[in-house]
Amino acid sequence: MLHKQQLLEESSAADQQNLHFSSSGAQDVAAEMPGTLPSFPSLPRGVTVPALLGSLPRGVNPPSLPRGITMPALPTLPSFPSIPRGIALPSLPRVVAMPTVPEAPRRLLQDCCSVFDHRTSGGVCGCCWALRPRYKRLVDNVFPEDPEDGLVKANMEKLTFFALSAPEKLDRIAAYLSERLTRELSRHRYGYVCIALEAMEQLLLACHCQSINLLVESFLSTLRLLLEAEKPHLHILATNSFVKFANIEEDTPSYHRSYDFFVSRFSEMCHSDHEDPDTQIKIRVSGIRGLQGVVRKTVDDELQVNIWEPRHMEQIVPALLVNLEHSHGNSGSPAEQTELCFRELLGRAAYGHISNAIKPVLLHLDSHSLWEGRGFAVRCFRIIMFSIQSQHSHLVIQQLLGHLDANSRSPASVRAGIVEVLSEAAAIEATGSVGPTVLEVFNTLLRQLRQSVDYQLTGYYDNASKRKTTSFHEKTLQDAVIKTIGSFANTLPVYQRSEVMLFIMGKIPVPGIYPALGSPNAGFEGSRMIQVMLLKSLLQVSERYESSNLLTALPSSFLEPLLSFTLMEDPEIRLLVLSILTSLIDRRQNAARITVSVTFDVSVLEQKEDRCSRQDNLFIRKHAQRLYRHVYLACKEENNGPSHYQALFSLLAVLSVELVNEEVLVDLLRLILALQELGVSNQEHLSVFSRCSLHAICAASLHLVSQLGPPPPLHQHVAQVIESRQKEAPHLLPENLLCDQPRLPTGDLKVDRALLFVQSKICEALTGSSYSPQCERLNTAYTPELSDEERLSRKMSIADTVSLQIAMEHESSTDPQAPQAEQITFETLKNTIEDRGAVEEEERRKRMQVVERFQTAPFEEIAALCGSRTSLLQSKLDQVFDLIVRPPPSPSGQPSRRSTPIYEMKFPDLCVY
């Protein structure tokens, strides 16, 4: 076999030498003008052309000359030996020995054999090289005798000039080049294959855009042939040629051109698993560059094949991701080329193409379990978010949210990976918008939180209770969701953040009011966990909320339900609420600079230079007393820890810095003195730690307030008391109490009066200053405006509080003896002075009965009670309507017929709008 291969190579080399020899006499043919008769080589004496043509084999006709041209008389040529019938001269093998003839006829016969070997079938001018079409002669001239010499540049220039001068011959030139390349490829002459492909490339680059379509079809068919070969170097050669072709800009569209084969073949090359690592890398890089060329060629031309169709994207995107996954540090690696191609592909994607480009990415990450690693998934979507146009970013977010919903029954690690990708994508998209469905984004994330809580409680993440999960994995998912909610909120404008906070607040389950939230098996613990998760999400949104108007940041619809959570027994919920309030009121980020210390200097804070604005004054009048009241109630909780008292101090400090004026400062002084009295009297039976913590935050708060504008005597009194505590009672100072190892007194807590802040001295210090008009209020001890039901049961849930309010309204409306309006008379004042203990005890007993009824009565009884009130209201409304629509008296004295009320009249459809 090897010998046969060598023999074929030697014979092909001989053919090339004979062809060169026969063409040496016609080197000037290409330079002559068309229409002139070319000069023939001289023949030996006695040899004539007619005799030569007459001796041709049977079946081969002599060529016809143009009209008006006659063949000159030449010497007579000796006759050739006869050839058996049925044997054609062109098909004779090269190794067959010819009869002995003179030297010149033998060379002429070799020239004819060479021409026959290269002629096209059916051509009438193929029997003589000098009479073949000019474009074929020019094409043949670009091939050298030795393929290692490369393309003959001088002859290539002649061919290019001919192609530009006669563009109608381009299709024939390309077809002949393709034929030559196919023949050389079948004979494994890869050097001539490279030369033929190079000639086609130069013709493509040199031709004008209007005539390039004549070359493209033959060029693409040649590339298909090379890509279907088994040699890797041919694949690389064809890919490089295709990339050069893809960079050519075409003005004339081609409606019938198809690139489906190239998409599938280049994608297959991207998955190459060649045994040689270097060859494998080269093939993969070539496949990536080929896909990049297809994208460049088709993406901007609407008349070309639609590369964004799912059938193409499902091949291109996975091929790119496979190479992107295996990263290499060196330049020109598949990962580097893949990233460049992927960015270019996404950068050219229009609005309607984003979905088709993202879906294969999600499917690839699912099928290869790449969400759990998180690193590669995050890298992919960082490339996507940075590559696509910014106005299309929300489409990627929507695709990820839909995929998160579709994987709600997947393991927690998969869901956590998707959520982390969402968080990274939202952070990148900060300059854009989340899209038209802002609340739907948060609704999806909150739904994932509730599902995760259910899975954590049940221990399974499917309905069939077959797939187990752990609390650790679910908590990891919950933390990722909370972080993602904060990332999304940071991309929104201020007004949308307010809407998001209201939306989250409305989703927080309240026992007794929203019992259907979560799974039926979750119970109280499930509701508590959901409350904690949603409050953490709310804290993420509020931490970076920036608003100059407190009325906008804390509207009544948001503040009232938020403050109601300070009455909950769960200490974690109360701590989250205090942190949310502090972050929303702190508009200058002073909370991070404030420390619970009696040596804190307010000069490090960013303070207001002007007085409170009109909006701040409105907020003070509307909500300040409610805030003070809930701070006071939060301090009375028995299960408060050091973090709770630190949060309470931060809230008081932020209020004093943000809303500093005479009225607010006096109210804060009254509240601080009331907290001090709470720690001294111990009416709530608080622990020693809680009482000491109250004294500590009172000292730190007064030290801070005394530096915000009051007269110096107030600061002197505060400093004197703090100095006394440092000497005699260090356990009443925050430095020694709110730390890792608190110093508590042994036994019961006893506080000397000299260690307390005196109300009279504080009032005296403020006298004679701008605070003088407020001193009268300071003389009145602060008493929180507690309602009766809160005094009865301070540990009640929010549902019990709401039910109690309904019951009190019902009792006041059904009791005929209850006064409808309070009137201050002499009897009222007299009864006030007299002892009314028995009456108050009876009223307290009635209230307790109402509370017990709404806590223990079945739902049907409570519904019937509310229904009776509704019936009574309906009857009163009917009476009012009867009086309104009563007809006027008739002048004749006869009773007039009752007129139909307007709301009962039937009007034509055209009269109603």
Side-chain angles (χ1 to χ4, degrees):
M1 190 68 185
L2 181 61
H3 176 71
K4 184 178 180 181
Q5 180 70 21
Q6 295 176 353
L7 183 62
L8 290 175
E9 291 178 358
E10 291 175 359
S11 62
S12 62
D15 289 345
Q16 294 297 329
Q17 292 177 1
N18 293 335
L19 181 62
H20 178 71
F21 173 80
S22 61
S23 61
S24 61
Q27 290 293 329
D28 300 330
V29 172
E32 295 179 359
M33 296 298 294
T36 61
L37 184 65
S39 59
F40 291 89
S42 60
L43 297 177
R45 181 176 299 176
V47 179
T48 62
V49 174
L52 177 63
L53 296 179
S55 63
L56 290 176
R58 181 174 299 177
V60 178
N61 298 321
S64 60
L65 297 177
R67 181 176 299 177
I69 300 178
T70 59
M71 182 65 66
L74 296 175
T76 304
L77 183 67
S79 60
F80 293 156
S82 61
I83 299 175
R85 180 176 299 177
I87 299 178
L89 185 60
S91 61
L92 288 175
R94 298 294 175 82
V95 296
V96 177
M98 300 297 294
T100 305
V101 294
E103 181 69 18
R106 186 179 66 81
R107 289 191 177 183
L108 183 58
L109 181 60
Q110 290 178 353
D111 293 344
C112 293
C113 293
S114 179
V115 170
F116 292 153
D117 186 50
H118 291 85
R119 70 179 178 87
T120 58
S121 58
V124 296
C125 297
C127 62
C128 184
W129 186 90
L131 299 178
R132 302 179 70 221
R134 186 179 182 187
Y135 71 88
K136 290 187 177 182
R137 287 182 274 124
L138 293 174
V139 169
D140 291 335
N141 287 337
V142 302
F143 291 90
E145 296 182 3
D146 187 1
E148 294 182 359
D149 295 339
L151 187 70
V152 180
K153 296 183 179 180
N155 294 335
M156 187 65 213
E157 292 177 358
K158 294 179 182 180
L159 178 61
T160 304
F161 178 77
F162 176 79
L164 294 177
S165 303
E168 67 276 2
K169 299 292 182 65
L170 280 174
D171 54 345
R172 302 180 186 179
I173 296 174
Y176 185 63
L177 274 171
S178 178
E179 179 187 350
R180 285 293 304 266
L181 187 144
T182 305
R183 184 165 59 247
E184 304 298 347
L185 180 63
S186 63
R187 296 176 178 177
H188 304 287
R189 300 174 180 177
Y190 300 122
Y192 289 112
V193 170
C194 297
I195 293 173
L197 192 60
E198 183 181 357
M200 297 186 76
E201 292 175 5
Q202 293 194 15
L203 286 177
L204 277 173
L205 295 175
C207 292
H208 298 290
C209 297
Q210 292 80 3
S211 57
I212 196 173
N213 284 330
L214 300 174
L215 285 170
V216 170
E217 292 303 325
S218 298
F219 177 74
L220 294 180
S221 63
T222 302
L223 295 185
R224 293 191 192 98
L225 186 65
L226 293 178
L227 290 172
E228 291 174 350
E230 298 179 357
K231 299 295 182 178
H233 69 276
L234 294 180
H235 301 167
I236 299 173
L237 179 67
T239 304
N240 294 334
S241 298
F242 185 84
V243 171
K244 295 178 182 178
F245 163 69
N247 293 329
I248 300 175
E249 296 182 0
E250 299 183 54
D251 294 337
T252 305
S254 178
Y255 303 97
H256 59 280
R257 196 181 301 168
S258 175
Y259 296 95
D260 295 353
F261 170 80
F262 294 99
V263 171
S264 60
R265 191 68 185 92
F266 290 144
S267 300
E268 183 180 350
M269 291 172 63
C270 293
H271 295 276
S272 173
D273 55 352
H274 197 275
E275 55 186 10
D276 185 14
D278 295 336
T279 305
Q280 176 182 336
I281 291 177
K282 292 179 180 179
I283 295 176
R284 289 195 173 194
V285 171
S286 297
I288 296 168
R289 295 180 66 241
L291 290 177
Q292 190 175 11
V294 173
V295 172
R296 289 178 181 176
K297 200 64 181 175
T298 60
V299 75
D300 292 330
D301 192 352
E302 297 180 356
L303 300 176
Q304 297 282 2
V305 62
N306 188 4
I307 200 66
W308 301 106
E309 292 181 357
R311 61 190 180 95
H312 294 310
M313 287 290 104
E314 290 172 1
Q315 296 180 13
I316 295 176
V317 174
L320 296 178
L321 294 181
V322 166
N323 292 277
L324 188 64
E325 184 179 357
H326 304 287
S327 178
H328 299 277
N330 55 341
S331 178
S333 63
E336 182 180 357
Q337 293 293 330
T338 299
E339 184 171 348
L340 294 176
C341 181
F342 200 30
R343 289 181 183 276
E344 183 174 356
L345 175 68
L346 296 170
R348 296 172 180 265
Y351 180 85
H353 303 149
I354 296 295
S355 176
N356 292 339
I358 299 301
K359 284 182 180 179
V361 178
L362 301 176
L363 294 177
H364 180 82
L365 296 175
D366 286 341
S367 60
H368 292 79
S369 301
L370 295 175
W371 292 110
E372 300 179 9
R374 302 183 188 178
F376 178 70
V378 170
R379 180 189 175 193
C380 284
F381 277 89
R382 285 180 65 87
I383 294 175
I384 292 173
M385 297 302 294
F386 280 118
S387 300
I388 63 175
Q389 303 176 29
S390 59
Q391 65 269 23
H392 300 158
S393 299
H394 67 276
L395 297 176
V396 181
I397 302 298
Q398 290 178 0
Q399 290 282 330
L400 284 171
L401 289 172
H403 196 68
L404 180 60
D405 278 341
N407 286 271
S408 58
R409 300 293 180 183
S410 299
S413 57
V414 174
R415 287 176 280 138
I418 300 175
V419 170
E420 185 171 346
V421 171
L422 268 170
S423 178
E424 292 291 335
I428 297 173
E429 199 214 7
T431 57
S433 64
V434 179
T437 56
V438 176
L439 297 181
E440 185 62 27
V441 173
F442 293 93
N443 189 30
T444 302
L445 294 174
L446 297 180
R447 184 166 59 250
Q448 291 296 323
L449 269 181
R450 291 196 295 270
Q451 290 179 353
S452 177
V453 170
D454 293 343
Y455 297 159
Q456 182 178 353
L457 293 174
T458 59
Y460 298 93
Y461 61 86
D462 61 340
N463 294 329
S465 299
K466 295 182 179 179
R467 301 177 180 178
K468 293 185 178 181
T469 185
T470 61
S471 298
F472 173 77
H473 290 96
E474 295 298 335
K475 288 181 179 179
T476 304
L477 170 64
Q478 293 161 9
D479 294 339
V481 173
I482 293 172
K483 177 184 175 183
T484 304
I485 289 175
S487 299
F488 271 109
N490 294 334
T491 64
L492 300 176
V494 174
Y495 72 92
Q496 284 188 337
R497 295 187 196 182
S498 301
E499 295 178 359
V500 169
M501 289 193 296
L502 285 173
F503 180 77
I504 297 176
M505 179 60 68
K507 293 290 183 179
I508 299 178
V510 180
I513 297 180
Y514 304 113
L517 290 178
S519 64
N521 299 327
F524 175 78
E525 179 63 20
S527 299
R528 190 200 70 83
M529 293 176 63
I530 294 176
Q531 288 173 350
V532 172
M533 295 302 163
L534 295 184
L535 286 174
K536 287 182 178 179
S537 304
L538 193 60
L539 180 61
Q540 285 284 331
V541 179
S542 62
E543 281 180 345
R544 300 182 183 180
Y545 182 82
E546 298 177 359
S547 176
S548 59
N549 189 357
L550 288 179
L551 284 175
T552 305
L554 292 168
S556 300
S557 58
F558 176 79
L559 182 61
E560 292 179 2
L562 182 63
L563 290 176
S564 65
F565 282 98
T566 58
L567 305 177
M568 300 291 288
E569 292 184 2
D570 195 319
E572 186 176 4
I573 292 178
R574 294 199 309 272
L575 181 61
L576 288 171
V577 172
L578 293 174
S579 301
I580 292 170
L581 287 172
T582 302
S583 61
L584 290 176
I585 297 175
D586 185 20
R587 293 173 292 185
R588 293 172 176 80
Q589 286 73 44
N590 288 321
R593 307 187 186 103
I594 296 175
T595 58
V596 189
S597 173
V598 293
T599 59
F600 179 73
D601 188 4
V602 297
S603 60
V604 301
L605 301 179
E606 183 179 349
Q607 304 181 38
K608 296 175 61 176
E609 298 180 357
D610 53 350
R611 299 179 64 83
C612 287
S613 62
R614 180 175 176 272
Q615 291 81 5
D616 290 347
N617 289 327
L618 289 176
F619 177 81
I620 293 170
R621 295 174 188 174
K622 195 172 184 179
H623 302 299
Q625 295 302 323
R626 186 181 290 111
L627 277 172
Y628 302 151
R629 173 171 168 265
H630 282 82
V631 169
Y632 182 82
L633 295 176
C635 291
K636 295 168 66 175
E637 297 295 335
E638 298 176 0
N639 53 1
N640 284 336
S643 57
H644 291 81
Y645 291 107
Q646 292 178 358
L648 286 167
F649 170 76
S650 298
L651 180 57
L652 291 175
V654 169
L655 282 172
S656 61
V657 173
E658 291 291 337
L659 304 175
V660 57
N661 59 22
E662 290 81 359
E663 181 181 357
V664 173
L665 191 139
V666 171
D667 286 336
L668 289 175
L669 290 176
R670 293 177 62 205
L671 176 61
I672 293 171
L673 293 175
L675 294 177
Q676 178 181 259
E677 185 63 24
L678 181 64
V680 173
S681 62
N682 195 21
Q683 295 178 357
E684 299 294 330
H685 304 287
L686 299 176
S687 63
V688 175
F689 173 78
S690 298
R691 295 171 62 189
C692 293
S693 299
L694 288 176
H695 288 290
I697 64 172
C698 288
S701 300
L702 278 175
H703 175 74
L704 177 65
V705 170
S706 64
Q707 302 179 63
L708 295 177
L714 176 62
H715 183 67
Q716 295 174 2
H717 172 65
V718 173
Q720 182 180 359
V721 175
I722 291 175
E723 184 178 357
S724 301
R725 290 186 179 185
Q726 290 175 344
K727 295 179 180 179
E728 302 179 11
H731 55 271
L732 299 180
L733 296 177
E735 290 84 354
N736 300 320
L737 190 65
L738 303 178
C739 57
D740 296 335
Q741 297 179 353
R743 298 170 55 183
L744 296 176
T746 58
D748 192 15
L749 177 64
K750 295 181 180 180
V751 182
D752 190 4
R753 289 291 175 182
L755 302 177
L756 300 177
F757 301 99
V758 183
Q759 179 180 354
S760 59
K761 292 185 178 180
I762 294 176
C763 184
E764 181 182 354
L766 297 178
T767 304
S769 63
S770 58
Y771 297 87
S772 297
Q774 306 292 336
C775 288
E776 296 181 0
R777 296 176 54 245
L778 188 61
N779 291 327
T780 305
Y782 174 78
T783 303
E785 300 175 0
L786 297 176
S787 59
D788 294 337
E789 59 272 18
E790 286 174 340
R791 281 199 298 266
L792 292 173
S793 179
R794 183 170 48 84
K795 300 297 183 183
M796 291 162 42
S797 66
I798 299 176
D800 297 333
T801 305
V802 175
S803 302
L804 180 60
Q805 293 175 354
I806 298 175
M808 294 298 295
E809 293 177 359
H810 175 68
E811 289 294 328
S812 62
S813 61
T814 56
D815 190 1
Q817 297 180 357
Q820 299 297 327
E822 184 179 2
Q823 297 180 0
I824 301 177
T825 60
F826 176 75
E827 293 295 333
T828 304
L829 296 176
K830 182 179 178 180
N831 294 333
T832 304
I833 297 174
E834 293 177 354
D835 184 13
R836 294 178 53 85
V839 178
E840 291 180 356
E841 185 65 26
E842 181 66 19
E843 292 177 354
R844 186 178 295 106
R845 186 182 60 81
K846 289 183 179 180
R847 288 193 294 268
M848 292 297 295
Q849 290 178 355
V850 172
V851 172
E852 184 180 0
R853 179 193 306 168
F854 275 87
Q855 287 181 341
T856 59
F859 176 77
E860 292 77 8
E861 181 180 345
I862 299 175
L865 181 62
C866 296
S868 62
R869 295 180 57 194
T870 306
S871 302
L872 178 62
L873 176 61
Q874 185 63 38
S875 62
K876 294 296 183 183
L877 288 175
D878 292 340
Q879 294 178 8
V880 172
F881 286 140
D882 289 340
L883 293 175
I884 293 175
V885 300
R886 178 179 299 173
S890 176
S892 61
Q894 298 178 357
S896 60
R897 185 169 53 86
R898 184 179 182 274
S899 61
T900 304
I902 296 177
Y903 57 86
E904 295 182 0
M905 293 181 180
K906 301 296 184 182
F907 293 94
D909 294 339
L910 295 178
C911 299
V912 180
Y913 62 93

